[in-house]
Structure formats: structure tokens, C-alpha cells
Amino acid sequence: MPRRVSRVPIAFVSAALAVVLGGDRRGARADDLATPPPDAIFVPTTLVPATGDVPDGCVRTAGLPVTFDLVEDEGFPIGEMVVGERRLGMALLRGRGSDAALIVDLNGDGKPSRADESFPIAVSPWMVRDQAIGLTWKTTVPWGAGSFALTIQDRIGALTGQWTTSAGASDAKPVAPSGLAFDPDVPACVTKPPSTAARVRYATVTVGEHVVVVAALRGSKDEMSFLVDTDDGDLSDVSRRIPATAEPLRRGPVRTGTSWSTGPIEIDGVRGVLTALETLPTIQGRADPTATLSGTTKLAGDPWTLVLLDGDFDGSYTGASDWWGFMPTSAVDNPNPSKLFEGDAPCFRNASKAWKLLGVRADGTAVLAPFARAPSVEAYLAARSERIEVGRWFPKFEAGRDEFVRAQGLDTTREKTAKPFHWRYALTLADAKALAKVEGRPLLVDFEADWCVWCKRLDWIVYPDREVAERLAKFTAVKINVELDPTGGFQSIDGLDGEKWGAMPAIGAFDAEGRPVPFKPTWDKAKSETVDHIDGFKKPHEFAAALDALYAAVTGSRTAGGSGGGGGTVAPGMDAEPK
């Protein structure tokens, strides 16, 4: 749990607001950057907007939490955000409208300057079911070479009240105190107050023979007023507000809430006092990066884009929530990690070396040193696909297995393969064709993406089916991640219908020229129809039958059933000897 900040006045919040923002931001020893290897590459970087999700396996999904507490006497919250092993302190000044501000101790001296470390906050209602249950505060705070977007939600504290009658001007018989439970929901048959910056909550209380509606209008931190109606439920006349005075509630030195009391008022001939107890609002915050570092360099003569995101704001790129990676510049339209090779396991196409990140210099220049040995492209792609399946998708699928099986009408008695089918991996269709030529088998390609849930459901429940695996073994079965393909091959395939392939999953067989092979479908299609790929998720028995039809079409065979194993006629144009 994050350490709570000290509850002391703002002039003395050194302990609470102190944070060291300097230090080694580079994720490497100084010597590594001062004397990099002679064949290191240097990539000048600039700040660009961060888009897309962090790669699967990283822990930053909902931003960094920000915790708040009230200062003892000041009445405003102070908070902190933990960034790595550092703590960034801040104070939220809840004024009126444009007066709201966030003070952040950016230089870590415990004495934030209003000029340099005060940031205006955009304030808007926090709405639930058309009711304002609090306020939402948003601002952007610079940090290091980047910045973070800070969102704070200030939820209205619980409000309970009591109507206490007293003898006096009224001749009516006094009644026992009645409790009020205030709620944001508007009671039935009540005319709401007009739109106002005040946050409104409602309660009812019985006075004599009448049910009285009370609206509590919460203004700034020291303002509360009430509207009371005894007859027609009309609370639209805000000029009839009854002001209340505030008295802080404390538990020792800690402020726990506010007591609100009106002066003596008369309701339906009964004189009394309206009091309300308000607990402190719940204030919570979240910080997300709004920028990342990006740069372009030449690898093997081609431009490549380097992207660095400091996901935990600790100043380095070595944490579990950080990511960095490369991609050919021609294939990157924004720094989306789904289109990038992660830099912690790099293997870059058309480049003679792979690099590790030593760090980022103060001027924003990234320094990368070559790996002595790097994995093959296929090994990298296979490991990436498996990591995303096992780490992200399969646990979710297993949690909802029963419901999915019922919804799809799957036969759970079907036999599974003894060991997982061995897929090959390639970046482009040309690479996949080369693999098939070496193996001498027909080429089958499964186009997938990290985010494609139905692609991953095929991997989870269809490909492990014994009959499906046996038929896949007749092909050189290759997976291509369409986001990583620098040629955009998937989007350029011309289908039989004259349209480009666009939706996934998409599984098809290809001839030596890279053209999709047409075949007769075996699932819910007209018997006279011809298709060029298996479009989308299919049940295991449907998928196995489709593979039979594909194999027959690509080899010219009349039948293609049986116990797999990879034999059979070589695909048209595949001139290597069968293995």
C-alpha cells in the first residue's frame, strides 16, 4: 500500500511533497552511455502522443494510482503518486470554477512555487444516471522529458440528517426527531432545482401528517444550503434556500467530516432545526502518460522507428510496465505496440544486428548496443504469440469455458491431439511461401493479430482437436501477424469476390505465386458457392472438413481425409522434393 502523506499545513509539507525527480533516468550505468560499443547506434528522439495499449504482459493497464488525504487545518486534500521508488507529492486546491488548481512539488524541495508548479484543473460533474455524484478534475503535469495526464474523481461524501422540533412559536405538539438519508436520486413527483453548480441530494421526513422533501445543495467546501417543500414537491425556487453553518468534525488531529446546521425554521407549523452530518468525500486519482519518445534511424539502409514508453514514470525503460521497440517506419502510422517488435527480445527484419537499449541521454538520444546473438525472426514471433495467448487470452477463455461451449454448441467429447500442433511463423506471405517451398508441402496461412479474440479462440479450442491437427500436418501451416508484416500483405490479397481480405480470422491456402486457392466450402454456404479462405471461427468438425476441401483443391486430390502426417502431392508450383 502506498505510504500516506503527512497531514500538515502546505507551508510545511516537505515530507509529503518531497520527491527526487533527478537521479539516473537512463536505465543503465553512466559508463554504459559514456563509452558505448563502437558499433552502437544513436537515435535522437522526440516526444509524440502515446496511443495504443501497452503490450500484453506489462502491468500498466489503468494508470498509476494517486491517493489523497485532508490536511489538518487547511481543508484541502494533499496526495502522492508513487513513481518507481519515488513519491510525487501534490495538493488539490478546490476553489470555485477556474480557481481550482493542482500544486505539484516537481523539484522535490517541499516548497512548490505557484508560478512553476501550479496547474489549472478542468472541473466537470461526475455523472451517474443523470445525477451528479461528485466532480471530475483533469490536468496535465510535466514530468521529466514527458508528461502525465492526471484524472481525479471527488465523490460526494455520505450525508445523513435529522429534523429536531422544539417548542416555541408554534402551538403544534412537538414530535420526536426524524432521520434523513440523503441520496442523489430524485424522489418521485419532485420538481428538481434548476441546473446549478451545486451538488444536490434529496431526503424525505414526516412532519405532522405531511411528507416533507428536503434537498441539500452542496456548494464549495464551506457552503451548504437546503430547500424544503411540504405540499407540491416543487423545489425549483432556489431563492428559498435555507443556509447552514459548518462545524468541522475531527477524530484527534484528523478531520473526519462536517456538521451542518440551520437556524430555527418552521415547517408546516412546526418549528425546529435541521442538521446534517457529512463524511469526507472519497478522492481518488489516476495518472496516465500522454507522451512517449520516438525516433527514426537507418537499419540496413531502411528507416526504422524506435518507440520508448516509460510506463511507470520511473525514468528508465527496464520495468515491467515499460516497453520499447522497433518497426520499419513505413509500417508505423502511430506508436502502437501491436505493430512493434518489443525491444527486450529484438529481432529486426532486413537488419544484420539486433540491439539492446543501454539508456537515454539527457538530450533525448537513445543509445543501443548490438546483441552478440539474437533469436531468429520465427523464434521471436512464436514466443510472442505464445506469450500473448498464455498470458492474456487463454486464462479468460478458461474462465468462461462452460458458457462458450454452450453458446457455440461444441462437442466436448472430441479427442484432443497428444501434443500441440507445430505452427511455423513468418512476417510476410513471401516468407511463408519460402518455408513451404523448402518443406515441399501446400502452404496454409493463418492471418492473426495480438488483439484478435477469435483468432486466439481457434488456438485455444480448435487447433488442439485431433482431427484438425492431423489435417493441418498435411500443410506447411504458417501464422502471420498482420500488424507486424511490413508489406501489409493481408490487406493486399485480392479475393474471389473482387474485394480485399479484411476480417480475421482468415485461413487460406496459397499457390506458388501467392494467390489464394479457391475451394468448395463445407460449412453454412450454398453448395454451388466457391470461397478462397476459411472466414472466421468454425467448430472443430467444421474446420477439419474445410481443411479437407482446401487440401483437395490445392493438390488436385479427390479425397484428403485420413491420418495426416504431411505426405501427399506437392502444391502447384512448389518444386522442392516432399519431405
Side-chain angles (χ1 to χ4, degrees):
M1 293 292 292
R3 174 178 59 82
R4 290 286 187 180
V5 291
S6 303
R7 300 179 178 88
V8 293
I10 190 64
F12 305 99
V13 294
S14 176
L17 298 181
V19 61
V20 179
L21 295 180
D24 186 4
R25 297 189 66 255
R26 303 164 298 185
R29 293 180 298 125
D31 291 345
D32 292 334
L33 297 180
T35 57
D39 48 357
I41 61 174
F42 303 87
V43 184
T45 60
T46 56
L47 283 174
V48 296
T51 59
D53 297 323
V54 294
D56 296 298
C58 294
V59 299
R60 188 192 69 80
T61 56
L64 298 177
V66 182
T67 58
F68 285 92
D69 255 330
L70 280 189
V71 180
E72 176 185 355
D73 295 316
E74 304 295 337
F76 56 79
I78 63 172
E80 66 176 2
M81 180 176 69
V82 179
V83 288
E85 297 181 354
R86 305 159 189 162
R87 298 176 186 274
L88 183 64
M90 58 191 68
L92 177 62
L93 305 184
R94 298 180 294 178
R96 295 170 179 253
S98 60
D99 292 336
L102 183 75
I103 297 180
V104 183
D105 184 24
L106 292 177
N107 59 22
D109 63 358
K111 299 177 180 179
S113 164
R114 285 301 297 262
D116 299 333
E117 297 175 304
S118 178
F119 304 95
I121 296 180
V123 185
S124 60
W126 181 3
M127 305 297 293
V128 174
R129 301 192 308 274
D130 297 325
Q131 293 296 314
I133 66 168
L135 296 175
T136 297
W137 316 71
K138 292 187 177 183
T139 190
T140 300
V141 179
W143 184 84
S147 60
F148 59 82
L150 184 64
T151 301
I152 302 168
Q153 289 185 310
D154 177 2
R155 183 161 189 166
I156 300 172
L159 184 67
T160 59
Q162 181 172 283
W163 167 252
T164 305
T165 62
S166 60
S170 174
D171 295 329
K173 180 181 177 180
V175 295
S178 299
L180 294 87
F182 289 91
D183 189 272
D185 287 335
V186 183
C189 302
V190 166
T191 303
K192 297 191 302 181
S195 298
T196 172
R199 296 170 284 180
V200 184
R201 285 173 286 181
Y202 303 88
T204 58
V205 60
T206 301
V207 179
E209 297 179 354
H210 297 96
V211 175
V212 177
V213 179
V214 180
L217 284 66
R218 180 70 155 87
S220 65
K221 67 175 184 177
D222 289 324
E223 289 183 351
M224 176 82 81
S225 59
F226 297 95
L227 290 173
V228 180
D229 179 82
T230 61
D231 46 20
D232 58 1
D234 186 356
L235 298 174
S236 61
D237 187 0
V238 294
S239 66
R240 298 171 55 195
R241 286 186 181 185
I242 303 169
T245 56
E247 182 70 25
L249 298 177
R250 299 185 182 279
R251 186 175 60 247
V254 180
R255 185 172 179 176
T256 60
T258 305
S259 173
W260 304 92
S261 300
T262 67
I265 58 176
E266 189 170 303
I267 301 178
D268 200 22
V270 179
R271 191 173 179 82
V273 174
L274 183 64
T275 60
L277 299 179
E278 183 182 34
T279 59
L280 288 180
T282 300
I283 304 175
Q284 56 193 14
R286 186 185 73 239
D288 287 301
T290 59
T292 189
L293 292 171
S294 177
T296 302
T297 189
K298 289 277 189 176
L299 298 181
D302 297 324
W304 283 66
T305 293
L306 167 69
V307 177
L308 304 164
L309 174 65
D310 182 10
D312 54 11
F313 304 108
D314 67 353
S316 72
Y317 299 89
T318 58
S321 57
D322 305 327
W323 63 261
W324 70 278
F326 270 113
M327 190 62 186
T329 300
S330 60
V332 177
D333 53 11
N334 61 58
N336 186 335
S338 293
K339 300 182 177 181
L340 292 153
F341 295 97
E342 295 96 337
D344 56 357
C347 185
F348 309 129
R349 178 175 171 80
N350 295 331
S352 59
K353 296 185 178 72
W355 289 265
K356 61 181 178 180
L357 177 69
L358 291 184
V360 180
R361 289 175 166 168
D363 63 358
T365 300
V367 182
L368 298 97
F371 271 108
R373 290 184 295 273
S376 67
V377 172
E378 184 172 7
Y380 167 77
L381 293 172
R384 175 192 177 115
S385 180
E386 180 180 1
R387 172 175 57 79
I388 290 171
E389 290 173 350
V390 174
R392 175 182 180 183
W393 291 114
F394 288 4
K396 295 180 181 180
F397 296 159
E398 289 297 334
R401 174 183 284 271
D402 293 343
E403 181 180 352
F404 183 79
V405 167
R406 285 195 301 270
Q408 296 294 321
L410 301 181
D411 180 3
T412 58
T413 65
R414 290 181 62 87
E415 184 180 352
K416 303 296 182 182
T417 185
K419 61 180 180 179
F421 176 75
H422 177 66
W423 284 90
R424 304 297 302 272
Y425 290 82
L427 274 177
T428 69
L429 190 56
D431 295 341
K433 187 174 71 172
L435 290 175
K437 185 172 183 179
V438 170
E439 292 191 349
R441 294 191 181 110
L443 172 63
L444 180 102
V445 177
D446 176 5
F447 294 97
E448 65 168 6
D450 298 346
W451 46 263
C452 178
V453 58
W454 290 101
C455 302
K456 300 307 180 183
R457 280 178 171 150
L458 288 174
D459 291 319
W460 169 62
I461 207 165
V462 175
Y463 296 152
D465 184 87
R466 182 185 63 81
E467 290 186 6
V468 171
E470 287 174 350
R471 285 152 176 79
L472 286 173
K474 291 178 172 290
F475 297 87
T476 293
V478 183
K479 284 182 173 289
I480 293 178
N481 187 320
V482 300
E483 297 284 15
L484 299 180
D485 181 359
T487 68
F490 176 70
Q491 290 79 9
S492 65
I493 296 174
D494 292 318
L496 291 178
D497 58 1
E499 301 292 334
K500 300 291 185 182
W501 285 16
M504 292 183 290
I507 300 95
F510 293 83
D511 62 22
E513 284 70 42
R515 295 185 297 259
V517 177
F519 67 101
K520 296 287 186 180
T522 56
W523 56 92
D524 187 18
K525 298 277 187 179
K527 291 185 178 180
S528 60
E529 188 174 353
T530 300
V531 297
D532 56 10
H533 67 288
I534 303 173
D535 55 347
F537 182 88
K538 300 290 182 290
K539 300 176 184 179
H541 73 278
E542 295 174 335
F543 203 94
L547 290 177
D548 282 342
L550 255 177
Y551 188 79
V554 78
T555 62
S557 304
R558 293 188 177 183
T559 60
S563 60
T569 307
V570 179
M574 301 295 183
D575 53 7
E577 292 295 325
K579 290 190 176 183

